[in-house]
Amino acid sequence: MPSQLVDVRSDTVTRPTPGMLEAMMGAPVGDDVLGEDETVNALQREAAELFDKEAALFCPSGTMTNQIGIKVHTRPGDEVICHELAHVYLYEGGGIASNSGASVRLLKGGNGRFTAEQVKESINRRDDAHLPWTRVVAVEDTVNKGGGCCWDLGEIERIRAVCTEHGLALHLDGARLFNALVARSEAPRDYGRLFDTISVCLSKGLGAPAGSLLLGSRELIGRGHRYRKVMGGGMRQAGYLAAAGRYALKNNVERLQQDHARAKLLEAELRSLPYVESVLPVETNIVILNLNESVSAETFLQKLRERGVLASQMGPRAIRFVFHLDVSDTQVEILLKALREA
Ligand SMILES: Cc1ncc(COP(=O)(O)O)c(C=O)c1O
């Protein structure tokens, strides 16, 4: 096995670069629970400006920013509309139920994307006492389980119109929103104007060691600030982490294009391999393939591991590769070679 593993299990495995570490070490910090950490305050101010929102809240994780985002829009007994592949539903430990006491209406199709029409059909009537009140629609962009696919901004605009008409809030799980922005040449403000709350992660493709931001109105973020404390997410000298986030937003956004180009290269290679049943269309840094009957997911992952590559399993026959800033050109070569040999 090669000494240095090619770790493409996720874009969360990155380590801070020397430049990022330097920015972290030199950051002025204070007690952020008291609102006195000037680096956290600067990050929150800059992010809010970027998305043209009134306020932002720095949290330890994307799970927390999503969960707070949903909590500020709901009361126990309300209902959240999201896709059946959504991270907020599948991978946040049942947090919608335990943190917000809300039920979930799941939509299907579109590799994790849905239409305004589907939303409209799923809104419960408020004059029927049997039904939970639909309160919020949650969109995920890019869609992790959808192979990193991006939403069409026009569809989001139509969903926004349905939400406005029916008095619903619109939340975005934008863990990898910057990948979508770079892939589609769109601006953060395009999203800021459509969503009531947006969660973005600094710790995925952007390469920070931890941290996510929740964006919204002053009123919503004010309430979110309290829930962050209740959930145990009030950090003290968090400016060291916020400095990594500021560095990432300045230096690591445009380079996401490189991850996308590599993912497309991998997609092309996979389509020519005999054990591959299908590959989800690649738009950003995630590649998901389905294996045919010739090999099991466990055996395939083991074969890759023996050749120095770590990938992850996303379903009975689905394998995921995610590109990020710790993958070098040489490692891309090792990955392609391992796939040809596997
Ligand atoms: C789409 C999506 N949303 C939210 C999260 C949660 O982020 P975190 O791991 O920081 O809690 C992830 C994590 O992988 C994700 O892929």
Side-chain angles (χ1 to χ4, degrees), residues 61-63 66 87 92 140 144 173 175-176 201 203-204 212:
S61 70
T63 300
N66 275 332
H87 194 281
E92 297 188 5
E140 182 176 315
N144 180 1
D173 175 356
R176 296 185 181 80
C201 290
S203 57
K204 308 225 155 50
S212 295

Side-chain angles (χ1 to χ4, degrees), residues 91-168:
Y91 297 125
E92 297 188 5
I96 295 179
S98 61
N99 294 315
S100 298
S103 63
V104 180
R105 176 75 67 96
L106 296 176
L107 305 181
K108 290 180 184 293
N111 288 334
R113 294 159 296 187
F114 45 83
T115 63
E117 203 52 43
Q118 283 175 282
V119 171
K120 209 169 183 173
E121 286 163 4
S122 308
I123 300 170
N124 289 334
R125 292 172 45 174
R126 294 230 170 145
D127 59 359
D128 184 336
H130 297 84
L131 306 176
W133 279 18
T134 312
R135 287 280 191 188
V136 54
V137 177
V139 160
E140 182 176 315
D141 195 3
T142 66
V143 187
N144 180 1
K145 274 215 132 188
C149 65
C150 306
W151 280 69
D152 171 34
L153 201 56
E155 197 58 53
I156 299 176
E157 277 164 358
R158 287 186 280 282
I159 292 173
R160 171 75 264 175
V162 171
C163 289
T164 304
E165 189 188 336
H166 294 268
L168 310 181

Side-chain angles (χ1 to χ4, degrees), residues 124-330:
N124 289 334
R125 292 172 45 174
R126 294 230 170 145
D127 59 359
D128 184 336
H130 297 84
L131 306 176
W133 279 18
T134 312
R135 287 280 191 188
V136 54
V137 177
V139 160
E140 182 176 315
D141 195 3
T142 66
V143 187
N144 180 1
K145 274 215 132 188
C149 65
C150 306
W151 280 69
D152 171 34
L153 201 56
E155 197 58 53
I156 299 176
E157 277 164 358
R158 287 186 280 282
I159 292 173
R160 171 75 264 175
V162 171
C163 289
T164 304
E165 189 188 336
H166 294 268
L168 310 181
L170 188 55
H171 172 76
L172 174 60
D173 175 356
R176 296 185 181 80
L177 182 62
F178 283 97
N179 292 89
L181 295 177
V182 165
R184 297 254 167 149
S185 304
E186 291 163 346
R189 279 160 188 254
D190 298 337
Y191 289 76
R193 75 187 162 86
L194 294 173
F195 288 91
D196 298 288
T197 45
I198 299 179
S199 158
V200 288
C201 290
L202 303 162
S203 57
K204 308 225 155 50
L206 298 187
S212 295
L213 288 154
L214 183 67
L215 300 130
S217 67
R218 209 164 284 119
E219 199 265 326
L220 288 173
I221 295 304
R223 282 200 283 130
H225 183 260
R226 175 171 162 73
Y227 293 134
R228 185 184 71 176
K229 183 70 192 149
V230 173
M231 289 179 180
M235 297 184 285
R236 301 294 176 173
Q237 285 69 36
Y240 293 118
L241 291 174
R246 291 181 80 196
Y247 181 92
L249 286 172
K250 274 201 199 89
N251 298 284
N252 293 346
V253 174
E254 286 310 316
R255 65 149 307 284
L256 292 171
Q257 271 164 358
Q258 187 183 33
D259 298 339
H260 300 176
R262 286 171 168 172
K264 289 210 168 80
L265 189 73
L266 176 60
E267 177 190 26
E269 179 72 28
L270 289 173
R271 290 193 190 283
S272 70
L273 295 172
Y275 53 80
V276 176
E277 179 79 37
S278 59
V279 188
L280 289 183
V282 171
E283 273 193 86
T284 57
N285 64 331
I286 298 178
V287 182
I288 296 182
L289 69 85
N290 280 296
L291 295 165
N292 60 26
E293 297 293 324
S294 65
V295 62
S296 73
E298 292 74 17
T299 307
F300 179 67
L301 286 175
Q302 181 54 30
K303 283 178 183 236
L304 288 184
R305 192 177 233 288
E306 284 159 12
R307 289 162 179 80
V309 173
L310 299 178
S312 59
Q313 191 171 348
M314 286 296 272
R317 309 203 67 78
I319 304 292
R320 188 185 74 168
F321 303 88
V322 190
F323 288 90
H324 51 75
L325 51 68
D326 274 3
V327 179
S328 65
D329 282 331
T330 315

